Amino acid sequence: MIRAILFHVIPLLLPFVVYAVYLYFNARAGGDKKWGRTSLAISTVTGLVLMAASLIALGLVSGEPSEGTVYVPPRFEDGRIIDSQVLPAENKE
């Protein structure tokens, strides 16, 4: 669950939070900037790009190690279907 929050929600919402903090400090300094359609569109696109980058990074660094393992595909043996397996190289069937 934490991984889903880290890699989906936080990168998507981060530009909105950063812009809201900017607007807060801008208002305290006497500025007159407000949320607009352009700022919402830019924040949305930036959030989607960040989310896509985080998902690509997650796909590159996670998963089964391919070195030293052998994939055994599903097979039909003695009237039963044997599921696929990823076995260490020395235990190859």
Side-chain angles (χ1 to χ4, degrees), residues 19-20 22-24 26-28 30-41 43:
Y19 192 67
Y22 167 73
L23 288 178
Y24 172 75
N26 186 17
R28 285 188 59 185
D32 60 349
K33 293 193 177 204
K34 302 280 186 220
W35 286 98
R37 294 182 92 174
T38 305
S39 60
L40 285 174
S43 295

Side-chain angles (χ1 to χ4, degrees), residues 8-60:
H8 293 83
V9 177
I10 290 176
L12 183 62
L13 295 179
L14 187 63
F16 294 98
V17 172
V18 169
Y19 192 67
V21 169
Y22 167 73
L23 288 178
Y24 172 75
F25 285 113
N26 186 17
R28 285 188 59 185
D32 60 349
K33 293 193 177 204
K34 302 280 186 220
W35 286 98
R37 294 182 92 174
T38 305
S39 60
L40 285 174
I42 290 172
S43 295
T44 301
V45 170
T46 306
L48 289 172
V49 167
L50 286 174
M51 186 175 65
S54 70
L55 290 174
I56 290 169
L58 177 67
L60 291 174

